[in-house]
Amino acid sequence: MGARRAAVTGLGIVSALGSGVEEFWSGLVEGRSGVAQILSFDVSGWRTSRGAEVKDFSPRETGAYLRQAAAQALEDARLSASAVAGPRTAVFIGTTFGECLGLNRVMDEVIAGRLPEAGLEEAARPLLPASLSAGLARHLRALGPQLTLTTACAAGNTALAAAQGAIEDGRADFALAGGVDLFSPAIFAGFNRLLAVAPERCAPFSAGRLGLIPGEGCAVLLLEDFEAARRRGARVYATLAGYGLGCDARHATAPDAEGIARAIGDCLQDAGLRPQDVGYVNAHGTGTPANDKAEAAAIGAVWPQAASRPPVSSIKGALGHAMGAASALEAAACCLALARGVLPPTINHVAGDPDCALDCVPRARQARPRYALSNAFAFGGGNCVTAFAAPEPAAAPAPRACAGVVVTAAVAVGPARDPEQEARAALPERDLGLLDAPIAYALSAARLALEQAHLAGGERTGAVLESSGELAAQWRFYRDLATGGPSAVEPAQFPNNLANAAVSRVCIIFGLKLAAISLAGAYPSGEGAAAFAWRLLRRRGSGAMLAGGVEAGACLLVLETEQDARSRGARILAEFEVIEESFAPEGAGDSSPCGCLAKAVRKVEEGGRPLDYAARSRFGGIVRLRLKPPTSS
């Protein structure tokens, strides 16, 4: 019996080109642009004034975009809301900034003196990124696994990767997955202060390109098992064939061609493809000089002969850079390209840059590729590439081998009086850069965990961390903007506003290149991150992951495949298994404090008895784990 395949049977889209599949697709293939003068806030006196806003949509809230796109995806898949209610539907949503406008309104109350600064954290809690997947799951009564992934501009693809796993391993019959972000004055100011924004238009891979154009939007894809979709007569746009992860482990904002090439190669390996099988690449293609040069070099490394390179287009000239929604919108474009036999163009493209020697599809083109890749790269160097296959029937892939996973380190740190000072004292030989408390806690715990596991960085080790968001950094940045204007904000502060700042810094400082995954911090001890790492390692069959949570301290495990741990003679603390991930709409409340998961591992190690461990998130998620004493080799 073959393995299950994840088929895309529904698309929901809210974009600067319009809402719904047909408005979105016709705008792309006709070469229209959604970029215009910004109207949602006053940009008088700013360095630039153009963006790709969603028009004629109310209310202007992240959750509203998400609910609308999900409703479209269900209608497009010819499914009722009742069909996806229950424990067999999963929800995975990617975002960079979550409910940013609502959070800014709360901050305005502090600035105006109507809310004490000490009350900011409590007032902001319902608006944290974890509320997005939980809110949609609650809205649909979807009771299966749910996560908000905060891997910045790779978040949409990372959500799709999580959904593919849930369908393939039988945890879900349906999965709603995608990405959503709105842009705000703070986001616009951040990109402008980094001098990354073009004054008029985004021209990916072009000679003389000047930068990105900020955008916004949402795309939700409905995934289900391919055979089940065929039995119910569903239209299949494409199947999700595989994904690749990686981390540059180099710089907070500068991309690295080698890291990008590794992620593309990892995707091809996961999907069982050769480079020559790929007939189209939807590029990250932001239009910045550095990003496009690095991405073109990575494509050249995977396809060394220019004649063998597949056509490459970027749709960010039309949609702007929609951040956490970008790769979800681009995944939808890949599905439509495969299903309809048309490659969307790179609008505004001007040939002539020798560093971007690609076939950039300047106009829409008839083509019938069997496989397409969608590239997504984030601040901090976190990369995720997805592979889609044309929907024609094909032999089901062989079932994936599932490796056993063990714990080789378990540590907890904090709370500390001065976590930044402690991190610098613990790592005196490293340039840690600009720190805040979450980043400092993560670095201190990572150092201890890697030392305890006797692991170094490299391509076989990665990290997945949960964080409730960089609220203190966001507050400082927004306060400076609101009281002093765009010139008052510090450019170096902007990357620390992103919820993936802690995991990115850990990977950069310790050279972890396997993956850099950030989850919204619904579980302070990191049980959701540990479950994600467990599934990733079982799928890959090798490697190690730092996994845990950061909040008023940090709790980190090192998880490894059992074979790798035994082959290097590591001390195994416990065997690790995920029993269940689910959602209880009425179950939101207090979660286990930071450190509980590490204590549970120690209890098993010291007591020599198995332990079933359950954690409930603040927003209703449930993770059940089983820890067992290690068996002798």
Side-chain angles (χ1 to χ4, degrees), residues 333-388:
C334 280
C335 291
L336 288 163
L338 290 169
R340 300 190 178 184
V342 180
L343 307 183
T346 305
I347 70 168
N348 305 326
H349 182 254
V350 177
D353 185 343
D355 291 326
C356 298
L358 303 172
D359 172 5
C360 288
V361 193
R363 289 172 295 279
R365 180 185 305 171
Q366 299 289 322
R368 285 286 179 184
R370 288 195 63 196
Y371 298 98
L373 300 188
S374 178
N375 291 346
F377 317 128
F379 269 12
N383 305 318
C384 184
V385 179
T386 48
F388 294 89

Side-chain angles (χ1 to χ4, degrees), residues 241-307:
Y243 62 87
L245 299 170
C247 183
D248 298 347
R250 179 174 171 266
H251 193 274
T253 57
D256 178 62
E258 182 182 341
I260 293 169
R262 278 199 310 274
I264 295 172
D266 191 54
C267 179
L268 294 175
Q269 181 176 356
D270 187 67
L273 299 176
R274 304 164 300 171
Q276 60 265 37
D277 295 327
V278 176
Y280 170 60
V281 176
N282 192 294
H284 188 59
T286 61
T288 64
N291 180 92
D292 291 1
K293 180 180 179 179
E295 186 170 11
I299 291 170
V302 177
W303 290 273
Q305 301 301 317

